[in-house]
């Protein structure tokens, strides 16, 4: 993400996205898993990072294109690029409701401009080895 074309894309798009997030976005909080790696209600909630991003219902196309056996997203978040969001182990909160990723965050185009994150319904956690399936 350091080539000349990538830097040009970042310079052109970042101000436009910042304005879009400011005008139409939502105040979201990125919540890390804290010191406990298991997803459970008694986990240390970790530190929250305030971000301005878009939280939107997932499109029918995105829902339909979800591979079999994976959770179907109900929501999608568009977040400003921060390098550490590519590491799993976090979720979003908005107006006191938790939204958990149903897949890894996508660095759109690999350009380091915006993350696209498919999300489950508020409070819904999918079953998995580190996620016992509780709803909050």
């Amino acid at each position: 993400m350091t080539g000349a074309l990538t830097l040009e894309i970042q310079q052109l798009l970042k101000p436009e996205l910042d304005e879009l997030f400011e005008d139409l976005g939502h105040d979201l909080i990125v919540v890390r898993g804290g010191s406990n790696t298991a997803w459970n209600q008694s986990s240390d909630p970790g530190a929250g990072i305030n971000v301005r991003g878009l939280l939107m219902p997932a499109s029918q196309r995105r829902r339909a294109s979800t591979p079999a056996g994976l959770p179907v997203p109900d929501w999608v978040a568009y977040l400003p690029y921060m390098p550490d969001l590519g590491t799993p182990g976090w979720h979003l909160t908005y107006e006191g409701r938790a939204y958990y990723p149903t897949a890894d965050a996508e660095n759109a185009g690999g350009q380091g401009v915006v993350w696209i994150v498919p999300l489950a319904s508020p409070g819904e956690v999918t079953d998995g080895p580190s996620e016992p399936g509780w709803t909050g």
Side-chain angles (χ1 to χ4, degrees):
M1 291 190 307
T2 59
L5 181 58
T6 296
L7 293 174
E8 185 176 343
I9 289 171
Q10 290 172 344
Q11 289 172 348
L12 291 172
L13 292 180
K14 186 160 177 14
E16 297 292 326
L17 282 170
D18 288 346
E19 186 175 325
L20 177 73
F21 290 147
E22 183 60 35
D23 292 346
L24 302 174
H26 305 92
D27 293 323
L28 306 170
I29 301 172
V30 176
V31 180
R32 302 258 173 235
S35 58
N36 187 341
T37 58
W39 292 89
N40 61 56
Q41 291 175 327
S42 63
S43 291
D44 172 10
I49 301 169
N50 295 316
V51 297
R52 184 86 176 162
L54 292 173
L55 181 62
M56 301 174 62
S59 68
Q60 288 292 56
R61 181 177 176 192
R62 179 176 282 274
R63 294 173 59 82
S65 66
T66 302
L70 293 179
V72 177
D74 291 322
W75 297 88
V76 176
Y78 298 85
L79 305 170
Y81 185 81
M82 295 180 277
D84 56 345
L85 291 185
T87 304
W90 57 271
H91 67 277
L92 294 175
T93 61
Y94 175 63
E95 294 184 340
R97 293 182 176 167
Y99 294 79
Y100 294 88
T102 60
D104 290 340
E106 304 164 25
N107 174 9
Q111 300 300 316
V113 177
V114 65
W115 287 109
I116 302 172
V117 186
L119 303 164
S121 291
E124 180 183 354
V125 178
T126 59
D127 289 330
S130 64
E131 303 169 35
W134 64 272
T135 56

